[in-house]
Amino acid sequence: MKKVLILGATSDIAQAIARKYAAEGWDLVLAARNLELLEPIAGDLRVRSEADIQTVGFDAADFSSHRGFYESLETKPDLVICVFGYMADQRLVRTDFDEVQKTIAVNYTGAVSILNVVAEDFEQRGRGSIVGISSVAGDRGRQSNYIYGSAKAGFTAYLAGLRNRLAKAGVHVMTVKPGFVRTKMTESLELPASLTAEPEQVATAVYQGVEKKHNTVYTLWMWRWIMLIIKLIPEPIFKKMGM
Amino acid sequence: MVKLIVVNEGLGEVDMRKISDWGNYPVIEAEVGGFDSEGQLRSKLERPGPVIAFGNGRSYGDASLQENILLTRRFNKLLSFDETTGSLSCQSGVLLSEILDVFVPRGWFLPVTPGTKLITVGGAIAADVHGKNHHVAGSFGRHIVSMDVMRNEGSVITCSPTENSDFFKITVGGMGLTGIIMNATFRLKKVETAYIREETIRAANLDEIMDCFEASSDWTYSVAWIDCLAKGEQLGRSIMMRGEHATQAELVAPAHKHAPFNPRKGLHLSVPISFPNFALNHWTMQAFNLIYYNKFRPGTHKSIVDYNQFFYPLDAIDNWNRIYGSRGFTQYQFVIPKAAGREGMRTILKRITDSGLGSFLAVLKLFGEQDSFISFPMAGYTLALDFPISLKALDLFKELDAMVADYGGRLYLAKDSRMDAEMFEKTYPNADEFRQAISLLNDGETRFASLLSKRIGITD
């Protein structure tokens, strides 16, 4: 039975991914900081499927624990999906440097720290897939979201480099940029329906992307073009826009 | 596009957002938030003032709308399943479609399902939904073993037909006005395959289709599509669709026999944007009805179809409500007692066809007996028709209300967006008692309320 490790397993996107993989007959290791939230999620998956579901504590910001965490896993996964992320209130981020550090620690440093350990193992074994959930916010810095966006830009660049390094070892690395997703982070916002994906759509995109060994996946096809246009706007004009 | 990117992530300035139910009428501004644990729900309810639960937004009008909305969709865990009895416990935000995805491959089916699977379990209970098997299985509420409802911060009432039975009675069909339905346990039924043995029968007029319903009482599922634009001799011309869960022995196609529980996924379509308001008019709808009716040959036609084709043909088209354009639409669904049946249905249908306003989605069904406190069904005929919102349509509904009330019938609250308090009072025999029970529960204060409950006078 193939095994997937989901890092940050309590988010809405992670839950949808877990359901998808359980339905496809994979065994799951769910890792998250808050085990109290994680247990009902594991219980749900056990009712839904025959899959073997394990839960384990994991703190993305506690870098020194990462190697021990990975080494303690009884059997190593065939696929690791890094879903955790942290988005602070942008107004808070402008004045509160602790929030800035937390944003970078979770979205960038934490992800790099754990995936380095995973990469070492996968490279040695000469197989496996690593998926990172990054963000369209990292495609170009915008005033509304640039601290989070710059951390995600760093993560996107890291994943690209990792892909480049691991390709010859036969290890697949995939970057996912979901765009708007209907989750607890966005449920109070009025998002354009045609540009907003359900978490289940992200899960399907991840599953299919891994099967087909894609490099970068946008959940809804429009986002690839929207972000391309945004990236192409010349800086002298862009800086005056209220984005 | 610039604007939508600004809406993006994290600014936290947007507290109110536009929201509507399936008919896109009315559209309101509301404060919207969800929960994914009992603790979060409890803290949401610490805040005073009225709230209403919002599931998957498939009621048509304003049943889950008001200024302060609690989304239940993230409260969506399956809790337990008993393979011997088929008893399933789950949280209220689980969609019927998720239950089907998980349990049909294991040989289980919903005891009752409406014409869409994209509703939550909480919504199914609150509206006490019915399906094509109402005449044999009753409504959804009949199959509930027990449920937990959170009333105020901290207080959870567990109720069933035997425990806190009075509270149970007003919660089933109670349109979310007794509290937030958290968990429910109900029984799935065993099936041998994911397929339905279907018969379609063309009926030339209203008498023929009603005879056909009488003759189909032994069938588990029966429903008719009715052409509500056909007049005169052809008034009430229809297509009856009746079905039974197919046994393994009844499957003939190799693909079906090979995977009796896993039909191939059908074509999935989407309506990407709202149609212009003029796209659906009398002429386009008449053309559609003519083509659709003649698609069926005269007489009886037998086939094996998968459950999605039989129960949920419209779910294959995402956002089909957008064909009605920005003005929105409503569904006028009424029931009249069987005694008033033929004459009543003829008179009402004639009024609708004379108006020329009806649309192509019109459904006729014969209900069986119903024993519940505040639910919609009663033994008799029910007709459901979609109408684009217009002043003419709203005037027509007023006239229809009077006719429905005269025949001793009533309207379905889950579809309604415009009936007045007087109509509700007149047509739901327990209206008064229901209002008093809700008021007593809330100690005179308004705790759970929707635009619907205010409009029809159940809450302030």
Side-chain angles (χ1 to χ4, degrees):
Chain A
M1 196 72 78
K2 288 201 217 173
K3 181 168 277 190
V4 53
L5 166 63
I6 301 177
L7 299 163
T10 52
S11 78
D12 296 312
I13 290 177
Q15 287 182 50
I17 291 173
R19 286 176 180 178
K20 177 70 182 168
Y21 275 91
E24 298 290 343
W26 288 56
D27 286 337
L28 284 83
V29 182
L30 307 177
R33 197 165 35 112
N34 189 338
L35 286 173
E36 214 175 306
L37 281 180
L38 194 55
E39 274 317 318
I41 294 168
D44 168 80
L45 290 163
R46 288 182 190 119
V47 178
R48 281 172 196 256
S49 71
E50 311 267 274
D52 180 43
I53 318 282
Q54 292 172 44
T55 57
V56 47
F58 171 77
D59 185 348
D62 183 9
F63 317 134
S64 62
S65 70
H66 289 178
R67 184 168 292 277
F69 159 82
Y70 190 75
E71 279 169 1
S72 73
L73 298 176
E74 283 167 33
T75 48
K76 300 294 178 254
D78 306 279
L79 165 63
V80 174
I81 306 178
C82 182
V83 191
F84 60 78
Y86 177 72
M87 192 189 297
D89 187 310
Q90 178 72 13
R91 283 167 302 182
L92 211 57
V93 162
R94 285 181 196 178
T95 51
D96 183 345
F97 195 67
D98 285 346
E99 284 293 300
V100 173
Q101 282 190 307
K102 189 174 172 190
T103 302
I104 296 166
V106 174
N107 294 305
Y108 180 73
T109 322
V112 169
S113 161
I114 181 65
L115 291 187
N116 269 351
V117 178
V118 173
E120 201 179 298
D121 176 45
F122 280 17
E123 191 172 32
Q124 237 162 45
R125 287 154 65 200
R127 60 189 187 85
S129 289
I130 295 171
V131 176
I133 308 291
S134 192
S135 171
V136 297
D139 283 6
R140 187 164 193 177
R142 294 173 284 112
Q143 61 172 316
S144 60
N145 206 11
Y146 63 93
I147 302 293
Y148 175 81
S150 58
K152 285 295 193 184
F155 186 39
T156 299
Y158 168 79
L159 289 168
L162 195 65
R163 176 159 47 242
N164 195 206
R165 166 187 148 196
L166 295 179
K168 58 181 170 296
V171 177
H172 167 227
V173 178
M174 184 169 89
T175 312
V176 182
K177 300 177 182 176
F180 295 156
V181 185
R182 182 60 67 201
T183 64
K184 61 190 138 209
M185 269 202 282
T186 61
E187 72 188 358
S188 63
L189 305 179
E190 194 177 320
L191 299 178
S194 52
L195 292 180
T196 307
E198 294 297 323
E200 290 73 26
Q201 289 175 287
V202 181
T204 303
V206 167
Y207 180 79
Q208 288 172 350
V210 169
E211 290 299 297
K212 293 177 185 158
K213 299 212 185 299
H214 285 166
N215 299 318
T216 299
V217 169
Y218 289 82
T219 310
L220 300 176
W221 62 268
M222 302 78 89
W223 279 102
R224 187 181 293 273
W225 304 104
I226 291 172
M227 295 320 295
L228 180 65
I229 293 165
I230 288 176
K231 279 189 280 191
L232 289 176
I233 301 171
E235 192 66 17
I237 299 171
F238 190 78
K239 70 180 181 191
K240 293 183 187 141
M241 296 171 76
M243 302 185 86
Chain B
M1 191 172 76
V2 172
K3 187 163 168 275
L4 73 88
I5 302 299
V6 178
V7 175
N8 190 3
E9 314 130 331
L11 275 177
E13 283 159 4
V14 192
D15 290 319
M16 305 284 276
R17 76 163 165 103
K18 280 209 182 90
I19 188 164
S20 63
D21 276 319
W22 192 238
N24 289 321
Y25 173 85
V27 180
I28 64 157
E29 293 259 328
E31 204 174 322
V32 177
F35 58 96
D36 57 16
S37 70
E38 189 176 331
Q40 276 179 27
L41 173 59
R42 188 166 284 130
S43 64
K44 290 265 180 192
L45 289 180
E46 268 167 21
R47 207 177 112 160
V51 292
I52 192 72
F54 184 107
N56 206 36
R58 248 49 179 201
S59 63
Y60 279 57
D62 50 7
S64 52
L65 300 182
Q66 67 123 319
E67 284 167 14
N68 195 359
I69 286 172
L70 269 182
L71 304 176
T72 66
R73 267 296 280 127
R74 286 197 288 108
F75 196 61
N76 63 354
K77 312 287 180 300
L78 302 185
L79 302 171
S80 66
F81 182 65
D82 183 335
E83 295 276 356
T84 53
T85 61
S87 184
L88 171 69
S89 296
C90 66
Q91 294 175 337
S92 61
V94 172
L95 295 179
L96 299 189
S97 61
E98 296 179 76
I99 294 174
L100 292 166
D101 286 346
V102 172
F103 291 103
V104 169
R106 297 196 217 167
W108 298 92
F109 201 76
L110 295 165
V112 162
T113 174
T116 172
K117 58 180 174 173
L118 301 175
I119 66 164
T120 62
V121 168
I125 296 168
D128 195 12
V129 298
H130 56 267
K132 298 175 171 62
N133 59 349
H134 182 273
H135 58 289
V136 293
S139 52
F140 195 84
R142 199 196 276 184
H143 306 273
I144 299 169
V145 178
S146 76
M147 57 185 166
D148 301 323
V149 181
M150 190 177 286
R151 289 228 10 98
N152 288 305
E153 63 288 8
S155 96
V156 175
I157 300 183
T158 299
C159 64
S160 75
T162 51
E163 185 183 3
N164 292 316
S165 57
D166 283 343
F167 185 76
F168 181 83
K169 194 174 82 172
I170 58 171
T171 299
V172 172
M175 301 308 285
L177 302 174
T178 64
I180 305 295
I181 299 168
M182 288 171 45
N183 311 316
T185 301
F186 53 96
R187 283 208 183 88
L188 303 183
K189 65 173 183 181
K190 199 99 191 117
V191 291
E192 269 189 47
T193 72
Y195 291 89
I196 300 290
R197 176 163 59 83
E198 181 192 44
E199 283 189 18
T200 55
I201 302 163
R202 213 162 91 158
N205 56 43
L206 196 60
D207 269 329
E208 268 191 45
I209 190 64
M210 288 187 155
D211 288 343
C212 197
F213 269 112
E214 303 284 349
S216 304
S217 59
D218 289 345
W219 287 74
T220 305
Y221 300 106
S222 61
V223 73
W225 169 85
I226 185 164
D227 180 354
C228 57
L229 298 175
K231 294 186 179 185
E233 297 275 285
Q234 295 181 322
L235 183 80
R237 71 174 179 185
S238 332
I239 310 291
M240 153 75 77
M241 294 155 205
R242 56 190 191 188
E244 294 290 341
H245 289 283
T247 60
Q248 299 232 357
E250 284 166 344
L251 299 184
V252 281
H256 295 179
K257 284 169 96 83
H258 178 67
F261 290 116
N262 296 292
R264 282 185 52 193
K265 292 246 182 307
L267 190 62
H268 201 88
L269 303 169
S270 174
V271 180
I273 52 161
S274 284
F275 279 22
N277 288 340
F278 60 80
L280 274 198
N281 57 47
H282 184 71
W283 307 111
T284 54
M285 292 198 239
Q286 204 163 36
F288 174 89
N289 283 4
L290 187 72
I291 293 165
Y292 188 77
Y293 182 77
N294 284 301
K295 197 176 87 125
F296 296 89
R297 281 167 288 159
T300 304
H301 181 67
K302 298 179 185 189
S303 57
I304 299 280
V305 295
D306 75 51
Y307 75 88
N308 282 313
Q309 291 170 292
F310 185 76
F311 290 104
Y312 314 114
L314 281 172
D315 286 345
I317 309 167
D318 281 342
N319 302 311
W320 63 260
N321 54 343
R322 290 184 185 154
I323 63 172
Y324 286 98
S326 57
R327 66 199 149 169
F329 72 108
T330 189
Q331 188 173 85
Y332 193 84
Q333 180 169 5
F334 65 90
V335 57
I336 55 173
K338 211 171 166 193
R342 294 202 180 214
E343 231 9 79
M345 197 53 86
R346 185 181 310 284
T347 313
I348 296 173
L349 193 59
K350 188 162 183 313
R351 182 65 198 90
I352 294 168
T353 57
D354 286 347
S355 78
L357 294 172
S359 77
F360 48 83
L361 293 168
V363 170
L364 180 68
K365 157 105 199 123
L366 179 59
F367 280 152
E369 294 296 328
Q370 172 90 14
D371 176 27
S372 55
F373 184 69
I374 197 72
S375 302
F376 165 67
M378 64 166 81
Y381 283 98
T382 180
L383 180 66
L385 312 96
D386 288 1
F387 290 88
I389 294 289
S390 69
L391 288 175
K392 267 191 198 160
L394 293 170
D395 284 345
L396 173 68
F397 299 154
K398 273 277 175 206
E399 270 181 64
L400 298 179
D401 284 357
M403 297 162 96
V404 168
D406 276 352
Y407 286 119
R410 59 184 172 233
L411 305 185
Y412 191 8
L413 299 181
K415 306 286 181 70
D416 179 60
S417 54
R418 33 68 51 194
M419 138 170 66
D420 58 24
E422 197 191 334
M423 176 71 182
F424 176 68
E425 194 82 14
K426 210 162 30 178
T427 54
Y428 276 77
N430 293 324
D432 261 336
E433 220 181 310
F434 184 55
R435 183 187 321 101
Q436 282 163 21
I438 296 293
S439 161
L440 207 65
L441 268 177
N442 293 329
D443 223 4
E445 269 176 58
T446 307
R447 191 71 184 100
F448 301 97
S450 58
L451 295 184
L452 169 85
S453 71
K454 290 175 198 172
R455 179 163 53 77
I456 63 174
I458 305 172
T459 62
D460 295 332

